[in-house]
Amino acid sequence: MDSLSPAITPKLVLPAKGAHSSHGLSGLVLPISRPRLNRFKKIGVHAINKAPAAAAAIDYSDPDWKSKFQKEFESRFNIPHITDVFEDAVPMPSTFCLRMRSPTEEFADGYPSDEKWHGYINNNDRVLLKVIHYSSPTSAGAECIDPDCTWVEQWVHRAGPREKIYFKPEEVKAAIVTCGGLCPGLNDVIRQIVITLEIYGVKKIVGIPFGYRGFSDKELNEMLLSRKVVQNIHLSGGSLLGVSRGGPTISELVDSMEERGINMLFVLGGNGTHAGANAIHQECRKRRLKVAVVGVPKTIDNDILLMDKTFGFDTAVEEAQRAINSAYIEAHSAYHGIGVVKLMGRSSGYIAMHASLASGQIDICLIPEVPFHLHGPHGVLRHLKYLLETKGSAVVCVAEGAGQNFLQRTNATDASGNIVLGDIGVHIQQETKKYFKEIGIPADVKYIDPTYMIRACRANASDGILCTVLGQNAVHGAFAGYSGITVGICNTHYVYLPIPEVISYPRVVDPNSRMWHRCLTSTGQPDFV
């Protein structure tokens, strides 16, 4: 629920001169403007070519296009490293080793040796980004680089602890900031970042209160963090540090970091927050500051590019079941009962789709990616009439960003630049009541909006594990000397990705994907166009 406006897309650059290939180093990656993705015009479209922007310039008649594409991809997904700017930065043995069962207090006699402990990730380890070889562009959910759906390997950097680190723990002051809206799992990530930093030997860990605002508001003091402070915070929802949208300019923010002596910054947020984190990273490079800026993607909508899922999503789908079940009971307990549930999803309908699939109680699922009509012979209201005639009741699940074309636009935006949406749930409720009154059929319409109840929940077990590993890997990435990166899960493995590659635009549901087809099979709904 934290998106970037306007969207940006990465600019392809070649590795910086003198970059160390063992670290997958690249030159600066600067964003350029790009319009939002066009909405799908109709249901039932065939395979959508989701090839990266860089591939558009490839001449497919060139017999070497495949190898050129791989080189371009590798260049785009190289992740920035401290040695891009500080070529003389000296790596040192890692202070992270699980063989050291007791915390190391001081390093006066040098850092302990891990000897032959095979617990580190090699800098050259990679994870395969795409794992399905589609044989045809018309296959459900096909993602093709060229018209022939040629298989091209695309590898991204594996996350985890490295044998060599680029920060002395005793010289580190690490800061954590949470931005945007609330999301289940924020406290879990904060907790694990603090615990992992302490295992490395970091003594100075602080939390910045209320998002980026905490860097400039003189009334807000940074919060000292330690394992003792964060030990039980994952047992409740919300954020120990608080959240907010907006904040100071990038220059003011980096000025504040310099004054405070912060040289590791962990940013928890969505697209907009990550755009800010990337700008902070670039400003630190411009000033030649040895600072690691690492993002942890936080969006309950699950709309971050290239990632299997983001934390909070599983919890949101699980908690949505309560609202859906309540709507189902209300609808089935009333004569001609209709239950309407609105769930999160500004630009993507993942929560609505998965919650509908999980519940098995939804008759109509409406998402932003699939246009629909309310009125007319093929509209939602006509199908509701059919459901009342055949079943006696119906339950509708709608994502908050769906059907915005039916509502009056205000062009108002929040502090993060997100367009303030109209309430599609209330609109459907009102239009449903009006429709059935006009045709003389009694209908009892109940509307449920559990948004803020879901956002404030404690993370479930699945999200708790995801948050734990994301927090750990964020710290590993910072100590390894990487900056301007975010950590995520890709094909069940944890990876590091350059921030510009994941904030180009929101990830959306493909109406030709197998998952959406499964949802349609579950609900039995027709095309509402």
Side-chain angles (χ1 to χ4, degrees):
M1 301 183 71
D2 179 14
S3 61
L4 173 63
S5 181
I8 59 175
T9 191
K11 180 180 180 181
L12 179 63
V13 295
L14 296 176
K17 184 178 180 180
H20 296 247
S21 60
S22 62
H23 294 291
L25 311 179
S26 69
L28 297 180
V29 182
L30 301 175
I32 57 176
S33 297
R34 166 180 176 154
R36 291 283 188 188
L37 286 179
N38 291 327
R39 295 292 182 209
F40 299 109
K41 301 301 181 184
K42 61 180 182 177
I43 306 174
V45 294
H46 288 298
I48 300 166
N49 189 343
K50 306 182 192 70
I58 292 179
D59 178 9
Y60 295 113
S61 63
D62 183 347
D64 297 323
W65 77 263
K66 183 175 176 181
S67 61
K68 289 180 179 179
F69 173 88
Q70 288 177 314
K71 289 179 181 178
E72 289 176 339
F73 180 90
E74 183 179 353
S75 176
R76 287 171 52 212
F77 281 81
N78 276 339
I79 50 182
H81 193 270
I82 291 293
T83 52
D84 294 348
V85 176
F86 301 93
E87 297 182 4
D88 57 348
V90 179
M92 59 202 79
S94 177
T95 54
F96 179 87
C97 179
L98 298 181
R99 281 189 172 175
M100 295 158 23
R101 296 300 178 185
S102 59
T104 303
E105 295 296 329
E106 303 294 340
F107 301 109
D109 299 324
Y111 296 105
S113 171
D114 64 278
E115 295 181 355
K116 294 182 180 179
W117 182 60
H118 298 295
Y120 297 119
I121 300 298
N122 190 292
N123 285 321
N124 293 318
D125 283 359
R126 297 291 186 271
V127 172
L128 194 59
L129 185 64
K130 307 293 183 183
V131 295
I132 299 179
H133 182 186
Y134 296 99
S135 61
S136 168
T138 60
S139 294
E143 299 180 15
C144 299
I145 295 170
D146 71 325
D148 295 325
C149 253
T150 305
W151 172 254
V152 180
E153 294 181 350
Q154 302 168 59
W155 300 93
V156 292
H157 292 249
R158 185 184 178 198
R162 267 54 175 176
E163 188 172 4
K164 300 293 183 181
I165 60 177
Y166 284 81
F167 289 89
K168 293 182 179 180
E170 64 269 27
E171 296 176 358
V172 168
K173 181 176 181 181
I176 307 170
V177 61
T178 56
C179 305
L182 288 181
C183 176
L186 280 170
N187 282 335
D188 301 63
V189 178
I190 293 169
R191 177 179 183 271
Q192 204 57 224
I193 289 175
V194 172
I195 289 173
T196 310
L197 284 167
E198 286 197 350
I199 291 176
Y200 270 95
V202 177
K203 306 293 187 194
K204 292 176 286 186
I205 310 170
V206 298
I208 305 299
F210 300 106
Y212 288 139
R213 180 192 304 271
F215 281 104
S216 60
D217 194 327
K218 302 300 182 183
E219 296 181 359
L220 300 175
N221 298 318
E222 61 187 30
M223 181 185 301
L224 294 177
L225 299 177
S226 65
R227 184 169 192 139
K228 184 176 181 180
V229 173
V230 303
Q231 186 62 44
N232 295 313
I233 63 172
H234 63 300
L235 301 179
S236 60
S239 169
L240 172 71
L241 306 178
V243 295
S244 71
R245 300 184 186 277
T249 66
I250 296 301
S251 180
E252 292 170 342
L253 198 151
V254 176
D255 286 344
S256 177
M257 289 175 59
E258 280 196 87
E259 292 172 7
R260 299 166 189 252
I262 294 170
N263 54 4
M264 274 191 191
L265 179 63
F266 299 95
V267 181
L268 284 58
N271 278 340
T273 300
H274 271 66
N278 191 57
I280 294 169
H281 157 71
Q282 299 289 3
E283 180 67 16
C284 289
R285 286 195 154 198
K286 180 181 175 182
R287 300 188 189 188
R288 291 188 60 82
L289 301 176
K290 189 180 178 182
V291 176
V293 181
V294 179
V296 181
K298 177 234 66 171
T299 168
I300 205 169
D301 292 350
N302 198 35
D303 61 354
I304 299 289
L305 288 173
L306 306 177
M307 299 183 184
D308 292 358
K309 64 179 177 180
T310 51
F311 73 84
F313 174 70
D314 276 355
T315 304
V317 171
E318 184 174 309
E319 288 300 319
Q321 302 305 299
R322 301 173 186 267
I324 290 173
N325 190 53
S326 296
Y328 177 85
I329 292 172
E330 286 284 352
H332 283 254
S333 299
Y335 178 66
H336 284 180
I338 297 174
V340 179
V341 180
K342 185 185 76 172
L343 298 176
M344 292 81 74
R346 293 184 58 86
S347 57
S348 59
Y350 285 103
I351 292 178
M353 177 176 68
H354 282 255
S356 297
L357 266 169
S359 72
Q361 297 173 316
I362 297 298
D363 298 294
I364 299 174
C365 178
L366 304 173
I367 62 175
E369 296 88 341
V370 180
F372 61 92
H373 293 304
L374 282 176
H375 299 275
H378 303 293
V380 171
L381 297 175
R382 183 67 173 267
H383 187 59
L384 281 174
K385 177 176 178 288
Y386 167 78
L387 291 171
L388 293 189
E389 292 170 347
T390 56
K391 291 179 58 181
S393 61
V395 183
V396 180
C397 178
V398 57
E400 63 178 321
Q404 290 298 304
N405 54 302
F406 300 125
L407 307 172
Q408 184 175 359
R409 293 185 179 272
T410 63
N411 294 322
T413 58
D414 61 22
S416 293
N418 301 315
I419 295 174
V420 177
L421 301 177
D423 196 327
I424 185 61
V426 169
H427 182 74
I428 289 177
Q429 179 194 32
Q430 293 172 344
E431 288 298 303
T432 302
K433 287 182 176 180
K434 180 180 176 182
Y435 171 79
F436 282 102
K437 183 178 180 179
E438 289 176 349
I439 63 176
I441 297 178
D444 189 349
V445 186
K446 298 293 195 304
Y447 173 52
I448 298 175
D449 179 358
T451 298
Y452 291 101
M453 296 176 67
I454 291 174
R455 288 179 9 145
C457 284
R458 170 190 173 185
N460 66 8
S462 175
D463 272 329
I465 295 171
L466 178 59
C467 292
T468 295
V469 183
L470 290 175
Q472 291 177 359
N473 281 324
V475 176
H476 294 321
F479 265 103
Y482 298 119
S483 180
I485 65 168
T486 192
V487 59
I489 185 169
C490 176
N491 293 322
T492 73
H493 296 281
Y494 292 86
V495 300
Y496 294 134
L497 299 166
I499 290 177
E501 289 296 333
V502 301
I503 62 172
S504 304
Y505 46 84
R507 184 169 77 110
V508 296
V509 174
D510 177 0
N512 192 48
S513 67
R514 285 295 299 127
M515 192 59 75
W516 179 243
H517 293 172
R518 292 166 187 140
C519 185
L520 295 178
T521 301
S522 175
T523 63
Q525 71 192 63
D527 294 349
F528 297 117
V529 292

